[in-house]
Amino acid sequence: MNRGVNSGRPGPSLRLERVSVRYPGAQSAPRPALQQVDLQIGSGEHVVVVGPSGAGKTTLLQVAAGALRAQHGRVLLDGEDPWSIGAARRRQLRGRLFLAPQVPPLPPRQRVVTAVLAGRLPAMSLAASLRSLLVPLEIARASAALAPFDLSDRLFDRVDRLSGGERQRVSLARALLAPARLWLLDEPLSSLDPVRAARALQTLREQASLHGITLVVSMHQVELALANFPRAVGLRDGTVSFDAPSSQVSPEQLRWLYAHTPPVPPPPELGPEDLAGSAAVPMMWR
Amino acid sequence: MTTDPVTLISPSRSLPRRDPALPGRLAWLAVSLLLLWPLLVLTEFRPWQMLEARSLRVTAHFLAGFLPPALNADFLATVARETWRTVAIATAGVSLALLVAVPLALIATASLSVSSLAGRMAAGPFAVRQATRALMVALRTVPELVWALVFVRVVGLGPTAGVLAIGLTYGGMLGKVFAEILESSDAHPTRMLLANGSGRLQAFLYGLLPQAAPELTSYAIYRWECAIRSSVVLGFVGAGGLGQQMDSSLKMLAGNEVATMLLVFFGLVALADAASAWLRKSLR
């Protein structure tokens, strides 16, 4: 596939040095979202980040993308700290990476073709983006990016006509068009069925390998993650619990990763048997 | 199930008996009512006076003068000319207002802030946004009637004063409401575009505009409708259009001429309403 302006250059390396993040609105939280995280990811490397909800996976990706500023420690993209350079350079740097959030960032009234082509904005002039808003400039490219995700027939549909899984795939198709050399994908498969998830993952990894793109993906499906990525980082309570080749991650490490020290009560699942008998069900739920 | 997950939750401790927000809400309701009462007293709000026999007689007499609407050809020709001028004043005024409002709204909208991606908005951009808000407040603080009185002295009697007056006051209003519409749209798409290196205007075009376009359009059209009404008031101080005509008809106690012009207004407002409904539907 024809790629963006930066094509040919290797993907940037990523380095986090003793990074700690505490959200401004969460001063009362028992612990920071990330604490003292050290991580080094080489150019063109593919890494999966696993861990329970609230472990800090999203924060990690946002900090790595320069979308969130860590209070302590620093982030280096190809040796460059996004927070010690000027705003214009920082914008250029942001254009060289692609952060896909877990919730697809698509305006409901936008058409799929426009939503996908929005991935190209960092490489487009303002005049071109205005023109493309009226008449999409690169329809063929948008269609080609949607094809591996089985969505080329939805090109001119509006986003609000798509299902949750389709929206997520549109947001992933954006990555293929972005002029980015580092992909940071936050739970890219969370709304996909198993078959589509496997296929999307394969597409993303193939395209990343083909173009030397550095790929960091956070995931919940541990088996899929370990089977597909050469290297896995386990995140728990805002710290790196393990960082190893996937083949060497032991079941104990995974059990520890998902074992909650403070017992968080799971949400009540109201099955018929709960409603019928159990004395433990509070009055209000009966 | 081996252990019932629900047993982990002790209902007496973790479930409050009442909605914790309820007392606060009731308190606010009580405070609002307490504040409203003296205000009604202060404004001598006694609507039942309108239904007294004397008031009804005066009203009926005044309204009787409106019938039948004046329909002679000469007058209709004048009304048509002045109507066209009123529409022109309102349209030119709102266009000018849009030229003022759109840049101000884009500067003021916090969700288009690149620096606030990192956490908190930087001091410089924050100051610029506050200054822009203050400018919009200043623009709409001065009623268009006062602007018109100023401009009538500067550019003389006629429609130009009306256009400038509407342009300034409505520029402030449109800018404020546009910024608020943009800020109440979902910021997620915009912020992701900014985080991935798009420019502010690109993020606006591809993130905010598709969500906010119907609201922005319908508010602009509503303001056009207000400008039609406003240009009538401005006509009273010599800014041209139907208002000036209505002023002289009222002074001559020609109620039937006033009735004709009110019917024309009805038509214009209905037109704006239909245009807005149609545009909202086609942008949906």
Side-chain angles (χ1 to χ4, degrees), chain A residues 241-252:
Chain A
S241 152
F242 61 79
D243 178 358
S246 297
S247 52
Q248 290 171 24
V249 175
S250 68
E252 289 74 42

Side-chain angles (χ1 to χ4, degrees), chain A residues 103-186:
Chain A
V103 179
L106 313 173
R109 292 196 189 105
Q110 201 165 46
R111 289 188 302 171
V112 170
V113 60
T114 316
V116 176
L117 286 175
R120 289 207 57 70
L121 285 177
M124 280 161 88
S125 69
L126 183 58
S129 32
L130 248 176
R131 233 175 331 135
S132 189
L133 201 58
L134 301 174
V135 184
L137 285 180
E138 300 172 290
I139 296 175
R141 263 178 125 166
S143 172
L146 286 166
F149 298 101
D150 291 338
L151 282 172
S152 14
D153 54 328
R154 307 301 297 269
L155 200 56
F156 292 103
D157 280 344
R158 269 172 35 154
V159 168
D160 52 11
R161 303 276 307 274
L162 303 183
S163 71
E166 286 170 330
R167 285 181 209 202
Q168 195 163 34
R169 282 181 279 145
V170 168
S171 129
L172 294 177
R174 236 188 213 188
L176 303 189
L177 281 182
R181 315 292 300 144
L182 164 63
W183 289 352
L184 301 153
L185 312 179
D186 194 2

Side-chain angles (χ1 to χ4, degrees), chain A residues 7 11 17 22 42 47 52 58 66 90 94 101 104 119 129-130 136 165-166 177 180 189 233 238 262 265 285:
Chain A
S7 131
E17 291 177 350
R22 187 182 271 278
V47 177
T58 298
R90 185 157 55 239
R94 282 176 173 154
S129 32
L130 248 176
E166 286 170 330
L177 281 182
L189 314 175
V233 172
W285 293 334

